[in-house]
Amino acid sequence: MTNFSETVDAPGRFAGYRAVLASRVRSQRSYRSNFAFDLASSGFVGVIELVEVWLLFHQVSVLGGLTFAQVLLVFGIADLCHSFADLFVGHCDTLPEYVRAGTLDVFYLRPQPLLLQLMTSDISLRRITRAGVALAALVIGLSINDIHWSVAAVGLLAVTIVSAIAIFSAMFVWAAGTQFFLIQGAEFTNAFVYGGRYAATQPAAVWSAPLKVLFGFVFPMALSAYVPALWLLGLPGPIGLPTWLAWCTPVAALWIWGFALFMWRLGVRHYQGGGG
Amino acid sequence: MSDMIIETDRLTRDFRIRGKGTAALKRSTLRAVNDLQLRIAPGESVGYIGANGAGKSTTIKMLVGILVPTSGSVRTCGLDPHRERRRLAAEVGVVFGQRSQLWWDLPVRESFDILAAIHRLPGADARRRTQEVIEQLELTDFLATPVRQLSLGQRMRAEVAAALLHRPRLVILDEPTIGLDVLSKQRLREFLLTERQTHGTTLLLTTHDMGDIERLCERVLVVDHGSTVYDGSLGGLARAAGSDRILVLDFADATPDLIGIPHTTHLGSDVGGARQRLAFDSERTTAAAVLAAVGQQAQLRDLSIEEPDIEDVVRRIYQARR
């Protein structure tokens, strides 16, 4: 009698997640003027970020060994991937609110993993315009630079985009896990999540050694856009970041996801009072 | 393995609390649930009552796997609630009076559809069951209304429907009728009674409402400082708590405190003694005898009799133990 779910026309394993996400999309689009405003403001923020980079290069023609045209490529990859991660899992930021409102306790009452429920509990469609700005920057960056196109180059670009989206998503997840035991911890984690995004759009050659370790390897921001861009441009890497590392972006994504899941588990254990 | 639907053995849960300021460095431990022994058989309906902070919510959270016990063990529907949380979620329906399982910006109907998908109810079955809860809880009029626009009574009925959509064997309700109007309470209780009769559902509910207990529960558990202090029928609870009734007396003029009326206790005076409250032991005297004695001392204008509410009953049980 309890095995209704095993009969033939039972919804699939992902039907529940799909139903939630579809409802979020409908809900956001149902307030048309509101949605249009959100789209516009998100796109505007993207443009501002881009102008900021441009202004920097108004003062200097080369920064960290890159010209503005070349940095456009770094910015494009990093911001595109961050925007997509933000679109899908950026709301993990709101975990403290979920805890306060008891939404998290409600997650416990559903036959799904907690983290998957959190990740699929919302979707921020408005980020699509910001991703659009970043995509434009990437396309321009790819066309105005002298890139030797090959199967390897196309493959690297594809692998990089997928891995970088994963890396930025993992940043949101570990930050969420940390919120369980840090009261008002969002400011601390934002320094890494959004500071990391900013770092990812910059040429890492100008960083000091500790920063290279932090945002090069611990939080693999440099690997998500800068190093792959160097490889595409055929430029040498700075000390500590050789360009062959461009192929290690998936490894970096695995590492940061491992870290994110560890922090998430630690946070959940803390919440349940099971340890720590 | 036993066939109990809920079984705990020396279930204990501590919270570490920190003080403020310099006291923040010192941690103290608060025992919310203390060596709790709970055995509930399938099909029972149990009222779980106690003062605020007696450990009710903590117990419920351990029963469904939200909190991990500090020591002792708990099994719900034969499962370890923490390790087998996802399997347990299919068997248990929980209504937290203060937390919503519905999507506040969606019409009620859509929340049900999503929950049916989450619980992977097959299409035809989901439609049948959704229709069933809609009819029994009389939700038809506001199915298309976004949850945030519902009245409290409407929302609670929708919450209960949402929690029971997947036909759980065990339903746990934490303050389901708090703040509800009489009619909404009535509908909710009738639905829960029907659900028990037709599906043999086990009910465990915490409440501050004597009506909930009287209408819904065959067995009452009173908890104090994390341990059970009473376990038995409702009638037995009234006997254990003492059978005091309270008379509220209004007099024409200010009256000296009525001390010394046989088998009564003077509880207090207001408005210079123009209103007084007397408790009397209904097994040793009658309201009529008390009134006759009062009438000899003062001019009575009006009166009312208070039934003991849950807080009173609980307080008296606590006092009887100390």
Side-chain angles (χ1 to χ4, degrees):
Chain A
M1 134 176 178
T2 51
N3 279 352
F4 278 113
S5 56
E6 302 305 320
T7 52
V8 193
D9 68 333
R13 179 180 296 250
F14 299 106
Y17 305 108
R18 271 203 309 275
V20 174
L21 285 175
S23 80
R24 295 300 87 204
V25 170
R26 272 199 307 278
S27 160
Q28 283 170 39
R29 289 172 47 185
S30 62
Y31 300 97
R32 286 188 170 279
S33 54
N34 210 345
F35 184 54
F37 180 78
D38 278 350
L39 280 177
S41 58
S42 160
F44 184 66
V45 170
V47 171
I48 294 277
E49 300 273 0
L50 187 54
V51 166
E52 199 179 305
V53 178
W54 178 75
L55 282 175
L56 198 65
F57 278 87
H58 211 61
Q59 305 296 319
V60 291
S61 54
V62 177
L63 185 68
L66 297 186
T67 64
F68 176 63
Q70 290 167 333
V71 156
L72 217 47
L73 194 57
V74 180
F75 178 90
I77 298 173
D79 221 38
L80 178 69
C81 297
H82 186 270
S83 299
F84 269 114
D86 202 357
L87 189 149
F88 288 112
V89 299
H91 55 271
C92 289
D93 268 3
T94 54
L95 184 86
E97 232 168 87
Y98 281 17
V99 170
R100 267 196 301 276
T103 312
L104 195 74
D105 288 354
V106 170
F107 286 172
Y108 274 87
L109 307 177
R110 298 181 185 150
Q112 299 169 324
L114 295 176
L115 180 58
L116 267 182
Q117 286 189 64
L118 174 68
M119 289 171 67
T120 58
S121 65
D122 206 350
I123 183 166
S124 307
L125 283 185
R126 61 180 187 279
R127 308 265 184 240
I128 206 96
T129 43
R130 181 157 179 188
V133 173
L135 181 66
L138 175 60
V139 169
I140 295 168
L142 287 173
S143 46
I144 61 175
N145 285 296
D146 185 22
I147 294 170
H148 176 66
W149 285 106
S150 62
V151 176
V154 174
L156 181 76
L157 187 63
V159 165
T160 300
I161 287 175
V162 172
S163 306
I165 292 175
I167 289 172
F168 289 119
S169 301
M171 294 294 283
F172 283 109
V173 170
W174 80 255
T178 312
Q179 307 301 325
F180 280 110
F181 41 89
L182 287 184
I183 303 158
Q184 305 288 324
E187 294 195 18
F188 170 76
T189 53
N190 281 352
F192 296 96
V193 175
Y194 296 98
R197 184 215 71 89
Y198 184 72
T201 61
Q202 303 293 315
V206 299
W207 297 349
S208 63
L211 211 55
K212 269 185 197 159
V213 173
L214 183 66
F215 281 141
F217 297 99
V218 180
F219 303 114
M221 295 295 112
L223 294 188
S224 64
Y226 171 67
V227 177
L230 289 184
W231 192 95
L232 289 174
L233 294 165
L235 297 172
I239 298 162
L241 291 169
T243 44
W244 58 262
L245 278 176
W247 293 99
C248 297
T249 324
V251 180
L254 281 180
W255 141 250
I256 193 73
W257 262 103
F259 176 69
L261 292 177
F262 173 76
M263 291 308 285
W264 174 258
R265 289 197 76 102
L266 212 62
V268 168
R269 275 180 70 92
H270 181 83
Y271 183 71
Q272 297 160 336
Chain B
M1 218 183 80
S2 83
D3 51 1
M4 291 288 142
I5 199 159
I6 292 176
E7 183 161 36
T8 71
D9 183 34
R10 301 180 64 88
L11 185 66
T12 300
R13 172 67 208 205
D14 294 337
F15 287 106
R16 281 184 305 182
I17 44 174
R18 290 178 191 220
K20 286 189 176 144
T22 50
L25 295 173
K26 283 188 223 149
R27 284 183 173 182
S28 53
T29 305
L30 178 79
R31 180 147 292 186
V33 176
N34 188 13
D35 279 350
L36 184 74
Q37 302 287 131
L38 208 59
R39 289 169 62 83
I40 295 175
E44 278 196 277
S45 67
V46 179
Y48 192 49
I49 63 180
N52 289 327
K56 296 175 304 220
S57 295
T58 308
T59 307
I60 289 178
K61 284 183 175 184
M62 286 193 284
L63 290 178
V64 298
I66 297 175
L67 284 176
V68 181
T70 305
S71 65
S73 70
V74 51
R75 291 193 84 75
T76 310
C77 299
L79 301 167
D80 177 332
H82 177 57
R83 291 224 175 78
E84 299 165 289
R85 175 185 69 78
R86 284 158 60 193
R87 277 180 65 197
L88 182 59
E91 312 255 355
V92 183
V94 183
V95 177
F96 289 117
Q98 312 294 333
R99 350 198 123 176
S100 181
Q101 343 207 7
L102 306 167
W103 283 262
W104 68 286
D105 55 346
L106 294 185
V108 176
R109 175 89 210 201
E110 277 189 50
S111 281
F112 293 163
D113 292 343
I114 294 175
L115 285 167
I118 285 176
H119 283 287
R120 301 177 67 186
L121 302 181
D125 182 46
R127 278 189 296 278
R128 197 165 51 234
R129 176 62 174 166
T130 308
Q131 203 47 43
E132 188 182 17
V133 294
I134 286 171
E135 277 167 19
Q136 288 180 11
L137 282 161
E138 298 176 41
L139 311 177
T140 319
D141 292 345
F142 50 88
L143 274 180
T145 312
V147 171
R148 63 164 190 277
Q149 291 173 11
L150 300 182
S151 73
L152 183 63
Q154 291 172 332
R155 188 177 72 80
M156 278 312 295
R157 273 146 60 198
E159 293 284 353
V160 171
L164 273 76
L165 199 64
H166 60 289
R167 289 196 195 84
R169 287 205 286 148
L170 170 65
V171 174
I172 300 177
L173 306 118
D174 193 3
E175 299 287 357
T177 56
I178 201 163
L180 295 196
D181 58 278
V182 181
L183 206 62
S184 290
K185 272 185 196 173
Q186 191 61 24
R187 282 193 185 132
L188 210 59
R189 288 169 186 162
E190 270 163 21
F191 170 74
L192 292 171
L193 284 172
T194 313
E195 193 67 16
R196 268 197 78 205
Q197 276 161 10
T198 50
H199 300 287
T201 314
T202 311
L203 288 185
L204 176 67
L205 65 114
T206 75
T207 182
H208 280 83
D209 191 321
M210 202 52 149
D212 287 347
I213 303 274
E214 281 169 351
R215 293 276 290 139
L216 294 173
C217 302
E218 297 159 346
R219 180 179 162 198
V220 183
L221 290 166
V222 182
V223 64
D224 181 26
H225 288 90
S227 319
T228 316
V229 294
Y230 175 84
D231 181 352
S233 68
L234 181 63
L237 179 69
R239 279 192 296 280
S243 42
D244 280 7
R245 294 284 182 278
I246 293 165
L247 275 180
V248 181
L249 307 164
D250 286 326
F251 300 104
D253 306 298
T255 305
D257 288 356
L258 294 163
I259 299 164
I261 311 259
H263 309 300
T264 67
T265 318
H266 179 257
L267 296 177
S269 295
D270 289 316
V271 229
R275 165 170 284 188
Q276 304 201 14
R277 294 171 76 239
L278 284 187
F280 70 96
D281 184 344
S282 60
E283 292 193 341
R284 301 172 70 183
T285 186
T286 62
V290 174
L291 286 178
V294 168
Q296 287 171 3
Q297 297 191 23
Q299 177 84 36
L300 195 59
R301 198 168 56 81
D302 196 6
L303 76 119
S304 57
I305 298 184
E306 289 179 357
E307 287 291 314
D309 61 6
I310 283 201
E311 277 87 354
D312 276 329
V313 172
V314 167
R315 203 177 307 123
R316 278 188 235 151
I317 296 251
Y318 288 1
Q319 276 163 359
R321 292 181 66 239
R322 288 178 186 136

